[in-house]
mmCIF file of all heavy atoms in Angstrom:
data_model
loop_
_atom_site.group_PDB
_atom_site.id
_atom_site.type_symbol
_atom_site.label_atom_id
_atom_site.label_comp_id
_atom_site.label_asym_id
_atom_site.label_seq_id
_atom_site.Cartn_x
_atom_site.Cartn_y
_atom_site.Cartn_z
ATOM 1 N N ALA A 118 165.509 -177.544 102.271
ATOM 2 C CA ALA A 118 164.675 -178.079 101.213
ATOM 3 C C ALA A 118 163.313 -177.396 101.282
ATOM 4 O O ALA A 118 162.828 -177.057 102.371
ATOM 5 C CB ALA A 118 164.518 -179.584 101.382
ATOM 6 N N ASN A 119 162.697 -177.195 100.129
ATOM 7 C CA ASN A 119 161.401 -176.514 100.109
ATOM 8 C C ASN A 119 160.363 -177.244 100.964
ATOM 9 O O ASN A 119 159.489 -176.621 101.570
ATOM 10 C CB ASN A 119 160.893 -176.400 98.681
ATOM 11 C CG ASN A 119 161.663 -175.372 97.874
ATOM 12 O OD1 ASN A 119 162.241 -174.433 98.443
ATOM 13 N ND2 ASN A 119 161.695 -175.542 96.570
ATOM 14 N N SER A 120 160.475 -178.560 101.021
ATOM 15 C CA SER A 120 159.480 -179.351 101.743
ATOM 16 C C SER A 120 159.505 -179.122 103.254
ATOM 17 O O SER A 120 158.525 -179.448 103.941
ATOM 18 C CB SER A 120 159.684 -180.835 101.442
ATOM 19 O OG SER A 120 160.987 -181.237 101.815
ATOM 20 N N VAL A 121 160.610 -178.582 103.784
ATOM 21 C CA VAL A 121 160.710 -178.394 105.235
ATOM 22 C C VAL A 121 160.848 -176.925 105.627
ATOM 23 O O VAL A 121 160.824 -176.596 106.815
ATOM 24 C CB VAL A 121 161.893 -179.196 105.837
ATOM 25 C CG1 VAL A 121 161.799 -180.655 105.434
ATOM 26 C CG2 VAL A 121 163.231 -178.601 105.440
ATOM 27 N N LYS A 122 160.979 -176.057 104.631
ATOM 28 C CA LYS A 122 161.192 -174.640 104.901
ATOM 29 C C LYS A 122 160.039 -174.085 105.737
ATOM 30 O O LYS A 122 158.864 -174.322 105.447
ATOM 31 C CB LYS A 122 161.313 -173.890 103.575
ATOM 32 C CG LYS A 122 162.013 -172.554 103.661
ATOM 33 C CD LYS A 122 162.317 -172.022 102.274
ATOM 34 C CE LYS A 122 163.352 -172.852 101.556
ATOM 35 N NZ LYS A 122 163.719 -172.288 100.240
ATOM 36 N N GLY A 123 160.392 -173.349 106.783
ATOM 37 C CA GLY A 123 159.386 -172.775 107.657
ATOM 38 C C GLY A 123 158.962 -173.688 108.795
ATOM 39 O O GLY A 123 158.283 -173.248 109.734
ATOM 40 N N ARG A 124 159.356 -174.966 108.722
ATOM 41 C CA ARG A 124 158.991 -175.913 109.789
ATOM 42 C C ARG A 124 160.220 -176.429 110.534
ATOM 43 O O ARG A 124 160.143 -176.711 111.732
ATOM 44 C CB ARG A 124 158.236 -177.109 109.185
ATOM 45 C CG ARG A 124 156.941 -176.739 108.490
ATOM 46 C CD ARG A 124 156.159 -177.992 108.078
ATOM 47 N NE ARG A 124 156.877 -178.802 107.106
ATOM 48 C CZ ARG A 124 157.189 -180.084 107.296
ATOM 49 N NH1 ARG A 124 156.858 -180.695 108.424
ATOM 50 N NH2 ARG A 124 157.846 -180.766 106.350
ATOM 51 N N PHE A 125 161.327 -176.581 109.821
ATOM 52 C CA PHE A 125 162.561 -177.121 110.404
ATOM 53 C C PHE A 125 163.578 -175.989 110.578
ATOM 54 O O PHE A 125 163.624 -175.063 109.778
ATOM 55 C CB PHE A 125 163.175 -178.193 109.513
ATOM 56 C CG PHE A 125 162.407 -179.487 109.428
ATOM 57 C CD1 PHE A 125 161.122 -179.602 109.925
ATOM 58 C CD2 PHE A 125 162.989 -180.597 108.833
ATOM 59 C CE1 PHE A 125 160.415 -180.794 109.834
ATOM 60 C CE2 PHE A 125 162.313 -181.792 108.735
ATOM 61 C CZ PHE A 125 161.020 -181.890 109.236
ATOM 62 N N THR A 126 164.406 -176.120 111.621
ATOM 63 C CA THR A 126 165.473 -175.163 111.865
ATOM 64 C C THR A 126 166.760 -175.910 112.188
ATOM 65 O O THR A 126 166.783 -176.744 113.110
ATOM 66 C CB THR A 126 165.131 -174.222 113.023
ATOM 67 O OG1 THR A 126 163.900 -173.538 112.743
ATOM 68 C CG2 THR A 126 166.237 -173.194 113.219
ATOM 69 N N ILE A 127 167.815 -175.602 111.436
ATOM 70 C CA ILE A 127 169.116 -176.207 111.701
ATOM 71 C C ILE A 127 169.976 -175.205 112.456
ATOM 72 O O ILE A 127 169.915 -173.996 112.206
ATOM 73 C CB ILE A 127 169.806 -176.646 110.388
ATOM 74 C CG1 ILE A 127 171.062 -177.462 110.682
ATOM 75 C CG2 ILE A 127 170.100 -175.464 109.479
ATOM 76 C CD1 ILE A 127 171.675 -178.110 109.427
ATOM 77 N N SER A 128 170.757 -175.714 113.401
ATOM 78 C CA SER A 128 171.646 -174.847 114.162
ATOM 79 C C SER A 128 172.877 -175.649 114.563
ATOM 80 O O SER A 128 172.890 -176.876 114.438
ATOM 81 C CB SER A 128 170.941 -174.281 115.396
ATOM 82 O OG SER A 128 170.522 -175.324 116.257
ATOM 83 N N ARG A 129 173.903 -174.946 115.008
ATOM 84 C CA ARG A 129 175.113 -175.636 115.435
ATOM 85 C C ARG A 129 175.669 -174.981 116.680
ATOM 86 O O ARG A 129 175.547 -173.767 116.856
ATOM 87 C CB ARG A 129 176.151 -175.684 114.321
ATOM 88 C CG ARG A 129 176.656 -174.339 113.846
ATOM 89 C CD ARG A 129 177.371 -174.443 112.500
ATOM 90 N NE ARG A 129 178.636 -175.157 112.599
ATOM 91 C CZ ARG A 129 179.343 -175.560 111.528
ATOM 92 N NH1 ARG A 129 178.888 -175.336 110.308
ATOM 93 N NH2 ARG A 129 180.492 -176.191 111.684
ATOM 94 N N ASP A 130 176.261 -175.793 117.544
ATOM 95 C CA ASP A 130 176.923 -175.305 118.748
ATOM 96 C C ASP A 130 178.350 -175.835 118.693
ATOM 97 O O ASP A 130 178.613 -176.989 119.052
ATOM 98 C CB ASP A 130 176.189 -175.805 120.001
ATOM 99 C CG ASP A 130 176.770 -175.226 121.282
ATOM 100 O OD1 ASP A 130 177.929 -174.747 121.262
ATOM 101 O OD2 ASP A 130 176.072 -175.260 122.301
ATOM 102 N N ASN A 131 179.254 -174.994 118.229
ATOM 103 C CA ASN A 131 180.643 -175.445 118.060
ATOM 104 C C ASN A 131 181.317 -175.757 119.397
ATOM 105 O O ASN A 131 182.248 -176.560 119.443
ATOM 106 C CB ASN A 131 181.445 -174.398 117.295
ATOM 107 C CG ASN A 131 181.031 -174.313 115.835
ATOM 108 O OD1 ASN A 131 180.515 -175.281 115.260
ATOM 109 N ND2 ASN A 131 181.239 -173.159 115.234
ATOM 110 N N ALA A 132 180.849 -175.164 120.460
ATOM 111 C CA ALA A 132 181.428 -175.455 121.779
ATOM 112 C C ALA A 132 181.126 -176.890 122.206
ATOM 113 O O ALA A 132 181.891 -177.489 122.975
ATOM 114 C CB ALA A 132 180.902 -174.477 122.806
ATOM 115 N N LYS A 133 180.009 -177.424 121.686
ATOM 116 C CA LYS A 133 179.616 -178.787 122.026
ATOM 117 C C LYS A 133 179.859 -179.757 120.871
ATOM 118 O O LYS A 133 179.530 -180.943 120.982
ATOM 119 C CB LYS A 133 178.141 -178.835 122.424
ATOM 120 C CG LYS A 133 177.819 -178.050 123.686
ATOM 121 C CD LYS A 133 176.343 -178.178 124.060
ATOM 122 C CE LYS A 133 176.059 -177.437 125.351
ATOM 123 N NZ LYS A 133 174.619 -177.538 125.736
ATOM 124 N N ASN A 134 180.383 -179.245 119.752
ATOM 125 C CA ASN A 134 180.610 -180.079 118.560
ATOM 126 C C ASN A 134 179.314 -180.777 118.135
ATOM 127 O O ASN A 134 179.314 -181.975 117.819
ATOM 128 C CB ASN A 134 181.719 -181.102 118.808
ATOM 129 C CG ASN A 134 183.053 -180.444 119.082
ATOM 130 O OD1 ASN A 134 183.310 -179.333 118.631
ATOM 131 N ND2 ASN A 134 183.893 -181.106 119.849
ATOM 132 N N THR A 135 178.237 -180.029 118.137
ATOM 133 C CA THR A 135 176.913 -180.600 117.885
ATOM 134 C C THR A 135 176.138 -179.747 116.891
ATOM 135 O O THR A 135 176.199 -178.517 116.944
ATOM 136 C CB THR A 135 176.122 -180.731 119.195
ATOM 137 O OG1 THR A 135 176.854 -181.554 120.117
ATOM 138 C CG2 THR A 135 174.761 -181.357 118.945
ATOM 139 N N VAL A 136 175.420 -180.432 116.023
ATOM 140 C CA VAL A 136 174.493 -179.791 115.100
ATOM 141 C C VAL A 136 173.093 -180.284 115.444
ATOM 142 O O VAL A 136 172.905 -181.476 115.749
ATOM 143 C CB VAL A 136 174.835 -180.114 113.636
ATOM 144 C CG1 VAL A 136 173.803 -179.523 112.699
ATOM 145 C CG2 VAL A 136 176.215 -179.592 113.298
ATOM 146 N N TYR A 137 172.130 -179.390 115.360
ATOM 147 C CA TYR A 137 170.759 -179.720 115.737
ATOM 148 C C TYR A 137 169.819 -179.545 114.542
ATOM 149 O O TYR A 137 170.084 -178.771 113.628
ATOM 150 C CB TYR A 137 170.295 -178.815 116.869
ATOM 151 C CG TYR A 137 171.175 -178.832 118.086
ATOM 152 C CD1 TYR A 137 172.154 -177.859 118.281
ATOM 153 C CD2 TYR A 137 171.045 -179.832 119.055
ATOM 154 C CE1 TYR A 137 172.972 -177.882 119.396
ATOM 155 C CE2 TYR A 137 171.867 -179.852 120.170
ATOM 156 C CZ TYR A 137 172.822 -178.869 120.334
ATOM 157 O OH TYR A 137 173.637 -178.895 121.436
ATOM 158 N N LEU A 138 168.716 -180.259 114.618
ATOM 159 C CA LEU A 138 167.629 -180.059 113.664
ATOM 160 C C LEU A 138 166.332 -180.046 114.461
ATOM 161 O O LEU A 138 165.882 -181.087 114.953
ATOM 162 C CB LEU A 138 167.585 -181.151 112.606
ATOM 163 C CG LEU A 138 166.551 -180.934 111.497
ATOM 164 C CD1 LEU A 138 166.945 -179.730 110.643
ATOM 165 C CD2 LEU A 138 166.408 -182.179 110.619
ATOM 166 N N GLN A 139 165.769 -178.868 114.621
ATOM 167 C CA GLN A 139 164.486 -178.723 115.302
ATOM 168 C C GLN A 139 163.385 -178.879 114.267
ATOM 169 O O GLN A 139 163.344 -178.137 113.286
ATOM 170 C CB GLN A 139 164.389 -177.357 115.980
ATOM 171 C CG GLN A 139 163.056 -177.100 116.658
ATOM 172 C CD GLN A 139 162.805 -178.041 117.814
ATOM 173 O OE1 GLN A 139 163.704 -178.356 118.586
ATOM 174 N NE2 GLN A 139 161.566 -178.528 117.927
ATOM 175 N N MET A 140 162.506 -179.824 114.490
ATOM 176 C CA MET A 140 161.451 -180.129 113.525
ATOM 177 C C MET A 140 160.096 -179.872 114.164
ATOM 178 O O MET A 140 159.729 -180.524 115.139
ATOM 179 C CB MET A 140 161.561 -181.587 113.069
ATOM 180 C CG MET A 140 162.930 -181.965 112.539
ATOM 181 S SD MET A 140 163.014 -183.629 111.872
ATOM 182 C CE MET A 140 162.729 -184.579 113.364
ATOM 183 N N ASN A 141 159.379 -178.908 113.631
ATOM 184 C CA ASN A 141 158.044 -178.565 114.113
ATOM 185 C C ASN A 141 157.014 -178.833 113.023
ATOM 186 O O ASN A 141 157.364 -178.924 111.841
ATOM 187 C CB ASN A 141 157.995 -177.092 114.510
ATOM 188 C CG ASN A 141 158.953 -176.759 115.637
ATOM 189 O OD1 ASN A 141 159.203 -177.576 116.521
ATOM 190 N ND2 ASN A 141 159.491 -175.545 115.612
ATOM 191 N N GLY A 142 155.770 -178.945 113.412
ATOM 192 C CA GLY A 142 154.721 -179.174 112.418
ATOM 193 C C GLY A 142 154.958 -180.416 111.588
ATOM 194 O O GLY A 142 154.748 -180.409 110.374
ATOM 195 N N LEU A 143 155.364 -181.482 112.239
ATOM 196 C CA LEU A 143 155.727 -182.697 111.508
ATOM 197 C C LEU A 143 154.530 -183.289 110.771
ATOM 198 O O LEU A 143 153.390 -183.234 111.253
ATOM 199 C CB LEU A 143 156.341 -183.720 112.452
ATOM 200 C CG LEU A 143 157.794 -183.413 112.835
ATOM 201 C CD1 LEU A 143 158.208 -184.176 114.078
ATOM 202 C CD2 LEU A 143 158.722 -183.747 111.679
ATOM 203 N N LYS A 144 154.819 -183.853 109.604
ATOM 204 C CA LYS A 144 153.805 -184.456 108.754
ATOM 205 C C LYS A 144 154.172 -185.937 108.528
ATOM 206 O O LYS A 144 155.349 -186.300 108.623
ATOM 207 C CB LYS A 144 153.764 -183.750 107.400
ATOM 208 C CG LYS A 144 153.535 -182.251 107.485
ATOM 209 C CD LYS A 144 153.617 -181.610 106.116
ATOM 210 C CE LYS A 144 153.413 -180.107 106.186
ATOM 211 N NZ LYS A 144 153.508 -179.480 104.841
ATOM 212 N N PRO A 145 153.197 -186.763 108.196
ATOM 213 C CA PRO A 145 153.515 -188.181 107.919
ATOM 214 C C PRO A 145 154.584 -188.348 106.847
ATOM 215 O O PRO A 145 155.398 -189.281 106.929
ATOM 216 C CB PRO A 145 152.170 -188.747 107.473
ATOM 217 C CG PRO A 145 151.159 -187.912 108.195
ATOM 218 C CD PRO A 145 151.745 -186.521 108.195
ATOM 219 N N GLU A 146 154.629 -187.445 105.887
ATOM 220 C CA GLU A 146 155.633 -187.538 104.827
ATOM 221 C C GLU A 146 157.040 -187.186 105.304
ATOM 222 O O GLU A 146 157.998 -187.324 104.551
ATOM 223 C CB GLU A 146 155.250 -186.665 103.628
ATOM 224 C CG GLU A 146 154.903 -185.229 103.980
ATOM 225 C CD GLU A 146 153.395 -185.021 104.103
ATOM 226 O OE1 GLU A 146 152.723 -185.873 104.734
ATOM 227 O OE2 GLU A 146 152.912 -183.979 103.603
ATOM 228 N N ASP A 147 157.180 -186.731 106.533
ATOM 229 C CA ASP A 147 158.505 -186.511 107.118
ATOM 230 C C ASP A 147 159.094 -187.805 107.683
ATOM 231 O O ASP A 147 160.257 -187.815 108.099
ATOM 232 C CB ASP A 147 158.441 -185.469 108.240
ATOM 233 C CG ASP A 147 158.072 -184.087 107.741
ATOM 234 O OD1 ASP A 147 158.576 -183.674 106.673
ATOM 235 O OD2 ASP A 147 157.274 -183.414 108.425
ATOM 236 N N THR A 148 158.306 -188.861 107.696
ATOM 237 C CA THR A 148 158.791 -190.142 108.198
ATOM 238 C C THR A 148 159.976 -190.622 107.373
ATOM 239 O O THR A 148 159.885 -190.729 106.141
ATOM 240 C CB THR A 148 157.663 -191.196 108.156
ATOM 241 O OG1 THR A 148 156.638 -190.816 109.079
ATOM 242 C CG2 THR A 148 158.193 -192.576 108.526
ATOM 243 N N ALA A 149 161.090 -190.893 108.046
ATOM 244 C CA ALA A 149 162.325 -191.280 107.354
ATOM 245 C C ALA A 149 163.403 -191.555 108.395
ATOM 246 O O ALA A 149 163.235 -191.248 109.575
ATOM 247 C CB ALA A 149 162.788 -190.169 106.418
ATOM 248 N N VAL A 150 164.504 -192.090 107.906
ATOM 249 C CA VAL A 150 165.721 -192.122 108.703
ATOM 250 C C VAL A 150 166.483 -190.844 108.392
ATOM 251 O O VAL A 150 166.703 -190.518 107.227
ATOM 252 C CB VAL A 150 166.580 -193.352 108.391
ATOM 253 C CG1 VAL A 150 167.872 -193.323 109.216
ATOM 254 C CG2 VAL A 150 165.807 -194.636 108.670
ATOM 255 N N TYR A 151 166.867 -190.126 109.435
ATOM 256 C CA TYR A 151 167.557 -188.847 109.280
ATOM 257 C C TYR A 151 169.046 -189.037 109.548
ATOM 258 O O TYR A 151 169.427 -189.630 110.572
ATOM 259 C CB TYR A 151 166.963 -187.814 110.233
ATOM 260 C CG TYR A 151 165.639 -187.286 109.744
ATOM 261 C CD1 TYR A 151 164.499 -188.087 109.756
ATOM 262 C CD2 TYR A 151 165.527 -185.987 109.251
ATOM 263 C CE1 TYR A 151 163.281 -187.617 109.285
ATOM 264 C CE2 TYR A 151 164.319 -185.502 108.781
ATOM 265 C CZ TYR A 151 163.199 -186.315 108.795
ATOM 266 O OH TYR A 151 162.002 -185.852 108.322
ATOM 267 N N TYR A 152 169.854 -188.524 108.609
ATOM 268 C CA TYR A 152 171.298 -188.686 108.667
ATOM 269 C C TYR A 152 171.992 -187.338 108.775
ATOM 270 O O TYR A 152 171.644 -186.387 108.077
ATOM 271 C CB TYR A 152 171.805 -189.386 107.417
ATOM 272 C CG TYR A 152 171.276 -190.778 107.208
ATOM 273 C CD1 TYR A 152 170.138 -191.005 106.450
ATOM 274 C CD2 TYR A 152 171.937 -191.882 107.758
ATOM 275 C CE1 TYR A 152 169.651 -192.287 106.246
ATOM 276 C CE2 TYR A 152 171.465 -193.170 107.559
ATOM 277 C CZ TYR A 152 170.321 -193.369 106.805
ATOM 278 O OH TYR A 152 169.849 -194.643 106.606
ATOM 279 N N CYS A 153 173.019 -187.303 109.590
ATOM 280 C CA CYS A 153 173.917 -186.157 109.668
ATOM 281 C C CYS A 153 175.064 -186.404 108.696
ATOM 282 O O CYS A 153 175.502 -187.558 108.517
ATOM 283 C CB CYS A 153 174.428 -186.043 111.098
ATOM 284 S SG CYS A 153 175.440 -184.598 111.428
ATOM 285 N N HIS A 154 175.563 -185.350 108.090
ATOM 286 C CA HIS A 154 176.589 -185.492 107.046
ATOM 287 C C HIS A 154 177.522 -184.296 107.072
ATOM 288 O O HIS A 154 177.112 -183.174 107.373
ATOM 289 C CB HIS A 154 175.901 -185.598 105.685
ATOM 290 C CG HIS A 154 176.816 -185.432 104.516
ATOM 291 N ND1 HIS A 154 176.970 -184.240 103.852
ATOM 292 C CD2 HIS A 154 177.629 -186.326 103.891
ATOM 293 C CE1 HIS A 154 177.839 -184.393 102.871
ATOM 294 N NE2 HIS A 154 178.240 -185.660 102.866
ATOM 295 N N THR A 155 178.782 -184.563 106.727
ATOM 296 C CA THR A 155 179.733 -183.485 106.521
ATOM 297 C C THR A 155 180.810 -183.951 105.550
ATOM 298 O O THR A 155 180.924 -185.135 105.238
ATOM 299 C CB THR A 155 180.355 -183.029 107.853
ATOM 300 O OG1 THR A 155 181.057 -181.792 107.651
ATOM 301 C CG2 THR A 155 181.332 -184.063 108.396
ATOM 302 N N VAL A 156 181.572 -182.990 105.083
ATOM 303 C CA VAL A 156 182.693 -183.270 104.190
ATOM 304 C C VAL A 156 183.946 -182.672 104.817
ATOM 305 O O VAL A 156 183.930 -181.520 105.266
ATOM 306 C CB VAL A 156 182.473 -182.664 102.797
ATOM 307 C CG1 VAL A 156 183.677 -182.949 101.904
ATOM 308 C CG2 VAL A 156 181.213 -183.226 102.159
ATOM 309 N N ASN A 157 185.006 -183.456 104.843
ATOM 310 C CA ASN A 157 186.267 -182.977 105.386
ATOM 311 C C ASN A 157 187.405 -183.475 104.506
ATOM 312 O O ASN A 157 187.555 -184.684 104.315
ATOM 313 C CB ASN A 157 186.450 -183.462 106.826
ATOM 314 C CG ASN A 157 187.687 -182.867 107.465
ATOM 315 O OD1 ASN A 157 187.936 -181.664 107.368
ATOM 316 N ND2 ASN A 157 188.474 -183.694 108.124
ATOM 317 N N ILE A 158 188.149 -182.559 103.957
ATOM 318 C CA ILE A 158 189.249 -182.891 103.049
ATOM 319 C C ILE A 158 188.745 -183.833 101.958
ATOM 320 O O ILE A 158 189.299 -184.898 101.701
ATOM 321 C CB ILE A 158 190.449 -183.511 103.796
ATOM 322 C CG1 ILE A 158 190.775 -182.715 105.072
ATOM 323 C CG2 ILE A 158 191.686 -183.515 102.910
ATOM 324 C CD1 ILE A 158 191.894 -183.279 105.889
ATOM 325 N N ARG A 159 187.643 -183.456 101.368
ATOM 326 C CA ARG A 159 187.012 -184.140 100.239
ATOM 327 C C ARG A 159 186.512 -185.545 100.557
ATOM 328 O O ARG A 159 186.132 -186.292 99.658
ATOM 329 C CB ARG A 159 187.964 -184.188 99.046
ATOM 330 C CG ARG A 159 188.231 -182.826 98.442
ATOM 331 C CD ARG A 159 189.205 -182.891 97.298
ATOM 332 N NE ARG A 159 190.551 -183.207 97.741
ATOM 333 C CZ ARG A 159 191.602 -183.316 96.938
ATOM 334 N NH1 ARG A 159 191.453 -183.140 95.648
ATOM 335 N NH2 ARG A 159 192.789 -183.610 97.418
ATOM 336 N N SER A 160 186.470 -185.923 101.822
ATOM 337 C CA SER A 160 185.860 -187.195 102.217
ATOM 338 C C SER A 160 184.511 -186.927 102.854
ATOM 339 O O SER A 160 184.367 -185.995 103.642
ATOM 340 C CB SER A 160 186.760 -187.937 103.207
ATOM 341 O OG SER A 160 187.956 -188.350 102.587
ATOM 342 N N HIS A 161 183.543 -187.776 102.514
ATOM 343 C CA HIS A 161 182.195 -187.636 103.046
ATOM 344 C C HIS A 161 182.041 -188.521 104.276
ATOM 345 O O HIS A 161 182.488 -189.670 104.293
ATOM 346 C CB HIS A 161 181.167 -188.040 101.998
ATOM 347 C CG HIS A 161 181.068 -187.079 100.860
ATOM 348 N ND1 HIS A 161 180.057 -186.144 100.759
ATOM 349 C CD2 HIS A 161 181.867 -186.875 99.792
ATOM 350 C CE1 HIS A 161 180.232 -185.425 99.667
ATOM 351 N NE2 HIS A 161 181.328 -185.849 99.058
ATOM 352 N N TYR A 162 181.378 -187.964 105.277
ATOM 353 C CA TYR A 162 181.136 -188.697 106.515
ATOM 354 C C TYR A 162 179.652 -188.660 106.828
ATOM 355 O O TYR A 162 179.014 -187.599 106.739
ATOM 356 C CB TYR A 162 181.937 -188.101 107.666
ATOM 357 C CG TYR A 162 183.426 -188.190 107.443
ATOM 358 C CD1 TYR A 162 184.124 -187.129 106.869
ATOM 359 C CD2 TYR A 162 184.128 -189.342 107.772
ATOM 360 C CE1 TYR A 162 185.483 -187.211 106.635
ATOM 361 C CE2 TYR A 162 185.496 -189.428 107.547
ATOM 362 C CZ TYR A 162 186.155 -188.369 106.970
ATOM 363 O OH TYR A 162 187.513 -188.451 106.739
ATOM 364 N N TRP A 163 179.134 -189.836 107.213
ATOM 365 C CA TRP A 163 177.721 -189.971 107.554
ATOM 366 C C TRP A 163 177.576 -190.612 108.925
ATOM 367 O O TRP A 163 178.361 -191.480 109.300
ATOM 368 C CB TRP A 163 177.011 -190.872 106.534
ATOM 369 C CG TRP A 163 176.980 -190.350 105.143
ATOM 370 C CD1 TRP A 163 177.917 -190.539 104.177
ATOM 371 C CD2 TRP A 163 175.947 -189.547 104.553
ATOM 372 N NE1 TRP A 163 177.538 -189.906 103.016
ATOM 373 C CE2 TRP A 163 176.324 -189.288 103.216
ATOM 374 C CE3 TRP A 163 174.745 -189.021 105.026
ATOM 375 C CZ2 TRP A 163 175.552 -188.527 102.344
ATOM 376 C CZ3 TRP A 163 173.961 -188.270 104.164
ATOM 377 C CH2 TRP A 163 174.364 -188.022 102.839
#
């Protein structure tokens, strides 16, 4: 998203079945509940 570009970095480690979100330069407007999401066989998972 434009609002996080240059500050956040997403990465994945398939060996650990883990996705990461590194968040730097955090701002008060970043305050939120953060959800992980994927789609598998047209079903959404949160």
Side-chain angles (χ1 to χ4, degrees):
N119 287 335
S120 58
V121 307
K122 201 169 292 184
R124 299 187 297 123
F125 290 11
T126 303
I127 189 171
S128 61
R129 62 196 291 169
D130 185 341
N131 290 335
K133 296 182 178 180
N134 297 333
T135 302
V136 176
Y137 304 97
L138 185 67
Q139 177 65 40
M140 306 185 294
N141 298 327
L143 283 162
K144 304 176 181 179
E146 51 263 45
D147 294 319
T148 294
V150 178
Y151 283 71
Y152 298 92
C153 185
H154 167 263
T155 192
V156 179
N157 186 46
I158 314 178
R159 292 178 290 180
S160 293
H161 290 259
Y162 297 94
W163 296 88

